[in-house]
Amino acid sequence: MLVDDSLSSSRWLNFIKESWKIFLLWLSGVLLLMSFRLFYLFHFSEKVSSDVTVKQLFDALATGFKFDSSAAGVCLLIPFLMNCFLQPFRLAHLVKYARNIIGVIYQSVFVILGVCGVTYISEYGSQYNYFMLEGLYDDQQAIISTAIQQYKPWGSLLSIVILLLYVLFWTRFVDRRNYSFLINLCPKSRAKKVILSILVIVVFICAARGSFDSRPASRKWSAVTTDPFVNNLVINPFRSFFYAIQDYGELNQLTTSNTNPYSVSEDKINNVLLNNETRSIGPLIEKPSRIFFIVMESFDSWPLQDKYRGLGLTENFHRLKANGIFVEQTLPAASSTMNSLSSLVTGIPFSGINMSRLTSKVDTYSLIHHMEKQGYTSQFFYGGLLSWQTVGEFMNRHGVDRIYSAANAGGKGSAGVWGVDDGQLFDLVSKSVPENSFNLIMTTSYHGPFNLDLSNSEYPWRNGVYPAQFQVMSDELLSPNTLGHLWYSDKMMGQFVDNMQRQYPDALFVITGDHYSRRYFHAKPNLYELTHVPILLLGQGISSKLSNRKVASHMDITATIMDLIASSDTPFASFGHSLVRSEIPENVFGYKTIRNSEYVWKQGNNEQFYGYRCTAKMDVKPPDQSVPIHEYQVYMAAAWQLLMKGFADD
């Protein structure tokens, strides 16, 4: 409408001038937020590690600019839309009124949050988080008195007043300027007006997203340096404030619920928890000097089947499994990385509650706690950024001694999206494994958008064509490029294990996938292929402890490690069953998934389980009445109860 020929040149000029004024208000908001970030870095410079490089600081400021642009753009969305749709109807006065009011309000909010952030960082060592809302349930008068006496915020109050006066002056200045130079810049032809209108809209959308890329400014991409404090300052006070409200709402909703969603009696839950308590039967091997627990991104079981062996995707895993304890039919704790990783760390099965911002008090289940009790220093290595799913904070809350991320390995790999490539991650681990260390490693390369350059690699299908015997499986096969990332991940893992075994012959390795990949070779995978990951344990003496288990779950890993290395009769608790003991559970469980020696069941969207027979006649569907739903409900009810009753907000 803005470029219709019937519109007068004055209305078109008003649109251009108003767009320019909105841009100036956007720019002032960005400069305000960036100024606060720079002030924080200077004022709290003692909190910044000396290891932080100039390049990392530049990356932090560049990423922070994206958040600042997004915050200012979103706040100015209403006047921008009003300018687009009301100018043609001679309603410029409404556009002006909205721009002035919103301009003052949003910049004032930036000022107040930015200045108050100085006091908040002084107290908590970080920008706004959900702790700030705990004051709603505390002695608020005492909190205010303490803040006044301890921080004497008179300088902050004076700063707020001065900056608010600046906001009023600047907003008025922007509004009253004539901007006559725009007259000469405005196009006269209709085509040029259309192009300029589209350009204005596109630029504003990109500003509000904080990026011209396909990925908008998001918290999970904020930890771009090796320093946690600098990473915390990447997100501006405005976004931090709203993230704090969001996090508090999620936590409050979870922790205020007293009703177990699995509707199981307390007696049955208590029986499960009591039966989970056990004692180690080992040590079954000589105590390893180093333990490597490798959790492979999307590394599932379907490529390990004989019918896909000719693809050569997991040759390193096949080679290694011949000398260890291997269970191909393993149910993951969850279908997403953070939920599975949380369960592996805490020992508590995923029951539908995201544990990334929760802390369990139940140390008797915690893998980290058990390893440290055995004399190991705990370390976590992640190929991405620690801000993803707040995984760095999660590991810190659960007692991990040393935490490493992509930032410690250069920040970006050749793919550049999820952090460093697996090869770079394993190189970092190789340089950071002291004696008596337990090393939890989370890889990232087998994850979209799959943009590793494999053209010069030894990947057999880099030319994009599968052999004829695989092409006949389906008209819709997974792309060779995607599977090349699985091949690369397997190759880097194999090289790392070989390297560590040469350096530390007594090392123990545990290798599994975080969850099934949701990517399959052809369009019609069976239920087994849709649900399973492998488990592999390697080390001196392991091959003599071959397991008779054909079916397992992620929850079996902690119990197995304890039996292998812990002193005899060491108490611990586990929802799983050790793979080196003779007893075999009738059923194993994952979230919404059940498995026994013959069948696998998966819960669908209608809360009903559907099944698949994995032995004998695989096309036979098991009878619905054989699904052990009640046992599953008790298992999940106990996991929910243990997590919620053991919640601590630190």
Side-chain angles (χ1 to χ4, degrees):
M1 292 185 292
L2 290 169
V3 294
D4 194 282
D5 288 337
S6 64
L7 293 179
S8 69
S9 59
S10 63
R11 276 177 281 174
W12 169 251
L13 183 60
N14 284 340
F15 168 72
I16 295 300
K17 285 186 177 181
E18 195 63 41
S19 297
W20 181 254
K21 292 176 182 179
I22 292 172
F23 164 74
L24 291 177
L25 291 180
W26 169 86
L27 182 62
S28 64
V30 170
L31 291 176
L32 265 177
L33 295 175
M34 184 60 73
S35 298
F36 283 123
R37 182 178 294 105
L38 291 170
F39 177 80
Y40 294 161
L41 285 170
F42 175 77
H43 186 70
F44 299 104
S45 58
E46 74 282 355
K47 295 181 180 292
V48 179
S49 171
S50 59
D51 296 331
V52 175
T53 65
V54 173
K55 179 183 181 302
Q56 288 182 339
L57 287 174
F58 178 81
D59 289 342
L61 294 176
T63 306
F65 172 80
K66 295 180 180 180
F67 283 92
D68 301 344
S69 173
S70 176
V74 169
C75 290
L76 290 169
L77 178 62
I78 291 177
F80 176 79
L81 292 176
M82 291 178 68
N83 186 39
C84 290
F85 292 103
L86 297 186
Q87 288 287 1
F89 300 102
R90 303 181 186 276
L91 297 174
H93 62 289
L94 294 180
V95 179
K96 173 183 176 179
Y97 180 78
R99 186 223 331 127
N100 283 330
I101 294 297
I102 292 176
V104 169
I105 292 175
Y106 103 88
Q107 291 179 93
S108 298
V109 170
F110 284 7
V111 165
I112 294 171
L113 291 177
V115 174
C116 292
V118 178
T119 302
Y120 197 88
I121 295 172
S122 298
E123 176 64 23
Y124 294 105
S126 71
Q127 292 197 85
Y128 302 109
N129 52 31
Y130 65 89
F131 289 132
M132 71 180 189
L133 294 171
E134 296 294 333
L136 296 174
Y137 302 96
D138 211 329
D139 187 338
Q140 297 174 14
Q141 183 177 352
I143 292 174
I144 294 173
S145 298
T146 301
I148 292 175
Q149 295 176 26
Q150 182 173 347
Y151 294 105
K152 299 178 176 57
W154 316 122
S156 295
L157 291 175
L158 179 61
S159 298
I160 289 175
V161 171
I162 294 173
L163 288 173
L164 289 180
L165 290 174
Y166 153 77
V167 166
L168 292 172
F169 168 79
W170 172 250
T171 304
R172 185 177 180 182
F173 176 83
V174 168
D175 180 58
R176 295 195 174 187
R177 291 279 292 173
N178 186 37
Y179 306 108
S180 57
F181 69 93
L182 292 174
I183 297 175
N184 298 324
L185 298 179
C186 288
K188 302 298 188 292
S189 70
R190 181 180 182 186
K192 291 181 179 179
K193 290 179 180 180
V194 170
I195 293 173
L196 183 58
S197 298
I198 294 174
L199 181 62
V200 168
I201 293 172
V202 169
V203 169
F204 181 84
I205 291 174
C206 291
R209 294 177 73 253
S211 174
F212 285 90
D213 301 329
S214 60
R215 189 176 69 196
S218 175
R219 174 163 55 171
K220 63 183 177 181
W221 308 115
S222 63
V224 294
T225 79
T226 58
D227 185 86
F229 181 74
V230 176
N231 288 339
N232 183 258
L233 299 185
V234 169
I235 301 176
N236 54 58
F238 182 77
R239 287 285 287 268
S240 294
F241 184 81
F242 282 96
Y243 281 139
I245 295 174
Q246 176 185 324
D247 292 346
Y248 181 79
E250 292 177 1
L251 286 171
N252 195 51
Q253 182 179 4
L254 289 173
T255 56
T256 55
S257 175
N258 293 317
T259 305
N260 193 313
Y262 293 94
S263 303
V264 174
S265 68
E266 289 283 344
D267 289 342
K268 291 182 178 179
I269 291 174
N270 291 334
N271 285 337
V272 170
L273 298 179
L274 183 62
N275 291 333
N276 286 346
E277 297 178 5
T278 186
R279 292 178 177 271
S280 62
I281 63 173
L284 300 181
I285 62 173
E286 185 176 344
K287 185 178 180 180
S289 64
R290 293 158 180 84
I291 300 175
F292 299 96
F293 188 173
I294 306 173
V295 183
M296 305 282 284
E297 171 65 51
S298 300
F299 197 88
D300 44 12
S301 288
W302 74 257
L304 300 174
Q305 297 178 91
D306 290 340
K307 61 182 176 181
Y308 301 115
R309 183 68 187 272
L311 289 169
L313 301 173
T314 53
E315 290 306 296
N316 285 276
F317 194 93
H318 276 289
R319 171 176 58 82
L320 295 172
K321 77 178 186 180
N323 298 312
I325 297 175
F326 169 60
V327 184
E328 183 177 2
Q329 303 183 60
T330 299
L331 291 184
S335 59
S336 61
T337 300
M338 192 64 220
N339 290 326
S340 282
L341 192 62
S342 300
S343 292
L344 290 169
V345 168
T346 64
I348 301 176
F350 176 64
S351 59
I353 298 173
N354 188 325
M355 289 185 255
S356 64
R357 294 180 179 87
L358 302 181
T359 303
S360 170
K361 291 179 178 177
V362 191
D363 287 339
T364 54
Y365 287 82
S366 167
L367 178 58
I368 301 301
H369 172 78
H370 293 321
M371 293 301 97
E372 293 185 343
K373 282 289 186 180
Q374 295 303 309
Y376 290 97
T377 297
S378 57
Q379 301 192 128
F380 174 64
F381 298 85
Y382 176 48
L385 301 177
L386 295 179
S387 47
W388 170 81
Q389 289 283 342
T390 63
V391 67
E393 295 177 17
F394 172 83
M395 292 298 172
N396 184 60
R397 291 198 307 271
H398 285 273
V400 177
D401 297 318
R402 298 169 187 164
I403 302 173
Y404 301 86
S405 72
N408 299 95
K412 284 187 177 182
S414 62
V417 175
W418 280 94
V420 295
D421 305 336
D422 285 358
Q424 294 170 276
L425 174 64
F426 285 127
D427 285 344
L428 172 64
V429 178
S430 301
K431 300 172 184 175
S432 314
V433 283
E435 190 172 6
N436 296 323
S437 61
F438 171 79
N439 305 281
L440 176 60
I441 305 164
M442 180 71 234
T443 71
T444 58
S445 285
Y446 186 35
H447 194 290
F450 306 111
N451 53 357
L452 279 171
D453 182 6
L454 301 172
S455 59
N456 295 320
S457 71
E458 299 173 355
Y459 176 50
W461 321 122
R462 61 185 180 277
N463 62 357
V465 180
Y466 295 121
Q469 67 266 31
F470 294 107
Q471 292 185 23
V472 298
M473 286 187 174
S474 174
D475 293 332
E476 299 179 20
L477 298 178
L478 191 61
S479 77
N481 177 66
T482 298
L483 288 184
H485 290 68
L486 171 60
W487 172 88
Y488 171 80
S489 184
D490 172 78
K491 180 180 179 180
M492 294 301 101
M493 178 273 295
Q495 290 180 357
F496 171 75
V497 172
D498 292 343
N499 181 29
M500 292 297 98
Q501 285 185 325
R502 284 192 295 268
Q503 294 187 50
Y504 315 113
D506 64 342
L508 173 64
F509 298 85
V510 182
I511 307 170
T512 188
D514 58 348
H515 55 79
Y516 42 90
S517 67
R518 298 182 288 275
R519 291 174 291 274
Y520 310 98
F521 187 65
H522 54 79
K524 296 182 180 180
N526 57 46
L527 190 52
Y528 163 75
E529 294 174 341
L530 288 166
T531 51
H532 286 63
V533 298
I535 289 177
L536 173 62
L537 292 98
L538 294 168
Q540 286 185 346
I542 288 291
S543 57
S544 63
K545 311 297 178 187
L546 290 177
S547 173
N548 58 358
R549 292 276 297 279
K550 303 299 182 184
V551 178
S553 81
H554 267 165
M555 295 297 97
D556 296 331
I557 292 176
T558 295
T560 306
I561 295 175
M562 289 298 289
D563 277 349
L564 287 172
I565 70 168
S567 303
S568 179
D569 215 33
T570 299
F572 69 96
S574 174
F575 277 83
H577 299 78
S578 172
L579 298 176
V580 294
R581 297 195 188 189
S582 58
E583 62 266 26
I584 299 177
E586 182 178 354
N587 300 296
V588 295
F589 305 105
Y591 184 59
K592 295 188 175 182
T593 317
I594 305 172
R595 183 74 164 85
N596 62 24
S597 59
E598 292 189 75
Y599 303 115
V600 56
W601 293 273
K602 180 73 174 175
Q603 192 176 55
N605 294 332
N606 60 355
E607 302 301 316
Q608 297 295 315
F609 281 87
Y610 57 98
Y612 177 81
R613 184 165 183 166
C614 296
T615 58
K617 297 181 179 179
M618 294 192 178
D619 57 343
V620 177
K621 181 180 178 181
D624 292 338
Q625 61 266 26
S626 66
V627 183
I629 294 178
H630 179 69
E631 189 179 347
Y632 169 84
Q633 293 289 109
V634 174
Y635 178 91
M636 287 296 170
W640 186 94
Q641 189 85 352
L642 187 67
L643 177 65
M644 299 310 291
K645 297 303 180 183
F647 170 74
D649 58 15
D650 286 358

